[in-house]
Amino acid sequence: GLADRSRDLHAGLRTGLSEVMPASCVVGCGSATAIDFAVAVGSQNARESAWRWVVAARELGILLHLTGPMRDRVAIIPPLVIQPWEMNE
C-alpha cells in the first residue's frame, strides 16, 4: 500500500545518498528525505553546500528545496507515483 511505497522510496533514497555522503546526515520518514548539511560538511559551509545541491539538481530537472531553520537541509520529496526506474536515474 501507500505506507509501504513511502518506506521503499525513503529506503532507496537513503541507500543511494549514503553512497556519496555520511549516512548520519540523511534523515526523514515516509517518502520525505532530507540531507542535513550541517552534519555532512559542518555548520560553517552547510548553507552554501545545500544551495549548490539544489542548483545542481535544478539543472538536471529535479526539484529540491532548502529547509530547516538555517536553510542547511535539502528536502527530497518524490511523488508517490514515481516509478522505481525513474528513482534509479
Side-chain angles (χ1 to χ4, degrees):
L2 187 58
D4 292 334
R5 179 81 175 124
S6 293
R7 278 192 301 275
D8 291 347
L9 285 170
H10 178 69
L13 283 167
R14 186 172 192 67
T15 298
L17 290 169
S18 294
E19 292 176 8
V20 296
M21 59 187 36
S24 60
C25 70
V26 181
V27 297
C29 67
S31 63
T33 302
I35 304 166
D36 187 341
F37 280 89
V39 173
V41 300
S43 59
Q44 284 189 334
N45 299 319
R47 191 173 187 175
E48 181 182 333
S49 295
W51 177 249
R52 281 187 297 208
W53 266 64
V54 169
V55 170
R58 185 182 319 139
E59 291 173 3
L60 295 172
I62 301 167
L63 180 60
L64 303 179
H65 67 90
L66 296 173
T67 188
M70 301 301 291
R71 297 293 186 244
D72 57 359
R73 288 183 173 200
V74 172
I76 307 166
I77 307 171
L80 295 176
V81 296
I82 196 165
Q83 297 299 311
W85 63 268
E86 292 173 303
M87 288 294 293
N88 291 331
E89 288 183 0

